[in-house]
């Protein structure tokens, strides 16, 4: 790794970066970020990598989820509590089904920058620079708002810090809400038979927790819950500013885990160059355009030592395409002898637009991709070690279907996302019940 530095990505072609008018202001903002304390500790990053090594062997399961684009205004008590609650509830349900430790990784406390398919968009007949996330510009549809603002680089740091601080406080404080049945809102499930089934699972699960606690045996299993932070490592100048030497190597201490998006995983590109040098566990999004042979080269570049837990491959192929596209990818990685965590993002291959132009996803298609991915791994003898969702703990209406049977006309009631449509509380919780069933079957 002698030729790698936190800046070495700067000599490579780079995609998906904003164009700032005032480079000096950018440099000043980044210097301020670099001088501020890290958001996470390198020992925590190592812990996550060790946990992920278990997931690679099928001895743990990863629940990775949160907003597509986190907004600065989501850095508030209600949204943080709601997100933590849904992630913890889902993870309890998954533990119940899988009988495995669940590794919780939140798309949170830094998921502020977005890759876009086009540099500009047309709104009401006017061409504007695309919204690239609160990290870069404002979503309001005016040219001024869309101008990349260097001050947001500093702001992103403070919003990440405040979010992480409150999440850590809630977890340290026990976040005991999970124990009480009335905090599990199952009234949304329209089908009575399903609702009954879920209520029964929750009752048994809470009873099991109650039993363990009442034995008086010292168990910290429920009062300290680990949660790791993550975001797409997109804005490399910002990621560079968070990169510090610690322990044996270079860590990005802005988050525990970072991933490379499907649009920025070019072998000779700046993102791959940056990611190869950090110790953090990293994800790589694997879309339908992935060439298996090139993927193997990518793994060699990103993780020459093949340390288990360092690389998670997050497939997002789209419902109906998995049976054909996934096997060559898994076979190529297997033939290379490399160890990865296989995860499935059933969201990004299943985005559609309604006739009215609203970006949405159908819960049924999300479930289909998940089912197809489990099936494919079962056939191939590999293990699906985790899932990656865009979700929120709030009652939004962005994806159709699910237990509330939301239709396209329901979407306008509470459509809040500034980027991709997320599963709401009900849809997420049901996803956990269905996943738990599948994991229980795999165990049997
Ligand atoms: C995302 O995770 O929000 C994203 C943009 O994903 P992908 O890179 O897989 O398209
Ligand atoms: Co997204």
């Amino acid at each position: 790794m002698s030729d790698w530095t936190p800046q070495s990505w700067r000599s490579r072609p780079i995609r998906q970066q904003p164009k700032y008018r005032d480079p000096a202001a950018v440099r000043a903002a980044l210097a301020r970020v670099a001088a501020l304390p890290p958001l996470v500790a390198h020992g925590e990053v190592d812990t996550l990598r060790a946990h992920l090594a278990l997931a690679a062997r099928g001895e743990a399961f990863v629940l990775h989820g949160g907003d597509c684009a986190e907004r600065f205004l989501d850095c508030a008590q209600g949204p943080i509590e709601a997100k933590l609650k849904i992630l913890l509830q889902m993870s309890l349900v998954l533990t119940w089904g899988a009988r495995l430790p669940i590794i919780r990784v939140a798309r949170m406390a830094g998921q502020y920058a977005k890759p876009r398919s086009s540099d500009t968009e047309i709104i009401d007949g006017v061409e504007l620079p695309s919204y690239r996330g609160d990290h870069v510009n404002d979503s309001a549809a005016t040219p001024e708002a869309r101008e990349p603002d260097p001050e947001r680089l500093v702001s992103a740091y403070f919003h990440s810090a405040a979010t992480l601080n409150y999440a850590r406080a809630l977890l340290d404080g026990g976040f005991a809400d999970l124990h009480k049945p009335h905090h599990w809102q199952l009234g949304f499930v329209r089908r009575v038979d399903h609702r009954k089934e879920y209520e029964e699972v929750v009752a048994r699960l809470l009873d099991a927790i109650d039993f363990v606690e009442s034995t008086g045996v010292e168990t910290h299993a429920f009062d300290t819950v680990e949660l790791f932070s993550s975001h797409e490592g997109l804005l490399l100048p910002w990621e560079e500013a968070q990169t510090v030497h610690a322990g044996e190597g270079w860590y990005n201490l802005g988050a525990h885990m970072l991933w490379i998006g499907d649009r920025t995983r070019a072998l000779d590109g700046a993102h791959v160059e940056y990611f190869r040098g950090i110790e953090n566990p990293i994800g790589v999004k694997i879309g339908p355009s992935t060439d298996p042979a090139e993927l193997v080269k990518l793994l060699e570049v990103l993780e020459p030592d093949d340390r288990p837990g360092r690389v998670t491959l997050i497939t997002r192929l789209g419902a109906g395409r998995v049976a054909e596209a996934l096997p060559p990818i898994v076979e190529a990685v297997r033939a290379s002898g490399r160890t990865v965590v296989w995860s499935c993002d059933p969201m990004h291959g299943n985005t559609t637009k309604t006739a009215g132009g609203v970006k949405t996803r159908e819960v049924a298609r999300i479930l289909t991709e998940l089912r197809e991915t489990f099936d494919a791994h079962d056939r191939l003898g590999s293990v699906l070690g985790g899932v990656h969702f865009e979700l929120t703990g709030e009652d939004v209406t962005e994806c159709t279907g699910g237990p509330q049977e939301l239709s396209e006309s329901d979407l306008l009631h509470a459509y809040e996302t500034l980027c991709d449509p997320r599963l709401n509380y009900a849809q997420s919780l049901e996803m956990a019940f269905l996943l738990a069933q599948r994991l229980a079957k795999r165990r049997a």
Side-chain angles (χ1 to χ4, degrees), residues 361-400:
R361 290 162 172 156
E362 232 177 283
V363 169
R365 289 184 67 79
I366 294 169
L367 283 170
T368 300
E369 177 158 0
L370 272 178
R371 193 173 348 99
E372 289 173 348
T373 306
F374 268 107
D375 289 347
H377 282 292
D378 283 353
R379 275 197 304 273
L380 293 159
S382 42
V383 243
L384 183 66
V387 283
H388 183 119
F389 292 114
E390 288 186 338
L391 56 79
T392 167
E394 288 160 283
D395 200 16
V396 300
T397 54
E398 298 171 6
C399 295
T400 57

Side-chain angles (χ1 to χ4, degrees), residues 53-74:
L54 296 177
R57 296 205 300 267
E59 293 167 16
F61 193 78
V62 186
L63 172 63
H64 195 171
D67 297 312
C68 176
E70 210 180 356
R71 303 168 301 182
F72 288 168
L73 66 85
D74 296 317

Side-chain angles (χ1 to χ4, degrees), residues 68 107 114 348 361 390 419-420:
C68 176
R107 285 176 66 116
K114 297 308 299 172
H348 287 89
R361 290 162 172 156
E390 288 186 338
C419 198
D420 293 337

Side-chain angles (χ1 to χ4, degrees), residues 211-444:
F211 172 74
V212 173
E213 291 188 336
S214 65
T215 59
V217 177
E218 269 302 302
T219 149
H220 295 294
F222 306 113
D223 50 36
T224 51
V225 184
E226 281 177 325
L227 178 85
F228 298 96
S229 66
S230 74
H231 60 260
E232 177 172 349
L234 182 69
L235 287 187
L236 292 186
W238 197 74
E239 302 304 344
E240 179 192 313
Q242 308 267 15
T243 308
V244 295
H245 199 273
E248 305 278 290
W250 291 93
Y251 288 76
N252 181 315
L253 296 183
H256 298 107
M257 181 173 183
L258 295 128
W259 73 88
I260 311 183
D262 192 44
R263 294 171 182 81
T264 46
R265 58 176 162 73
L267 196 51
D268 59 350
H271 288 83
V272 169
E273 173 58 21
Y274 173 76
F275 272 75
R276 82 183 171 96
I278 55 172
E279 297 291 317
N280 304 57
I282 60 176
V284 184
K285 290 289 202 87
I286 301 295
S289 69
T290 307
D291 173 58
E294 188 156 312
L295 174 59
V296 170
K297 282 191 211 141
L298 187 60
L299 291 173
E300 281 163 14
V301 171
L302 286 173
E303 180 49 31
D305 298 334
D306 194 33
R307 289 167 298 174
R310 160 103 158 107
V311 181
T312 299
L313 295 181
I314 307 164
T315 59
R316 27 90 83 230
L317 300 165
R321 273 186 292 202
V322 178
E324 200 183 322
L326 189 57
I329 291 171
V330 173
E331 300 284 15
V333 173
R334 195 206 315 262
S336 75
R338 293 184 164 269
T339 315
V340 298
V341 178
W342 292 105
S343 178
C344 172
D345 162 2
M347 312 299 291
H348 287 89
N350 298 303
T351 316
T352 53
K353 260 193 185 163
T354 65
V358 182
K359 230 186 190 189
T360 189
R361 290 162 172 156
E362 232 177 283
V363 169
R365 289 184 67 79
I366 294 169
L367 283 170
T368 300
E369 177 158 0
L370 272 178
R371 193 173 348 99
E372 289 173 348
T373 306
F374 268 107
D375 289 347
H377 282 292
D378 283 353
R379 275 197 304 273
L380 293 159
S382 42
V383 243
L384 183 66
V387 283
H388 183 119
F389 292 114
E390 288 186 338
L391 56 79
T392 167
E394 288 160 283
D395 200 16
V396 300
T397 54
E398 298 171 6
C399 295
T400 57
Q404 300 149 302
E405 298 168 0
L406 297 182
S407 66
E408 286 195 359
S409 60
D410 291 322
L411 292 181
L412 296 175
H413 296 156
Y415 192 94
E416 286 189 24
T417 182
L418 295 180
C419 198
D420 293 337
R422 303 160 296 174
L423 299 170
N424 63 18
Y425 174 83
Q427 292 165 337
S428 303
L429 200 54
E430 182 170 77
M431 202 60 77
F433 285 115
L434 298 172
L435 267 169
Q437 283 169 358
R438 178 72 197 226
L439 288 164
K441 226 170 73 191
R442 183 168 90 175
R443 177 162 56 85

Side-chain angles (χ1 to χ4, degrees), residues 3-12 240 270 273-274 276-277:
D3 55 343
W4 186 91
T5 69
Q7 299 81 32
S8 56
W9 61 269
R10 290 179 178 270
S11 61
R12 301 287 182 96
E240 179 192 313
E273 173 58 21
Y274 173 76
R276 82 183 171 96

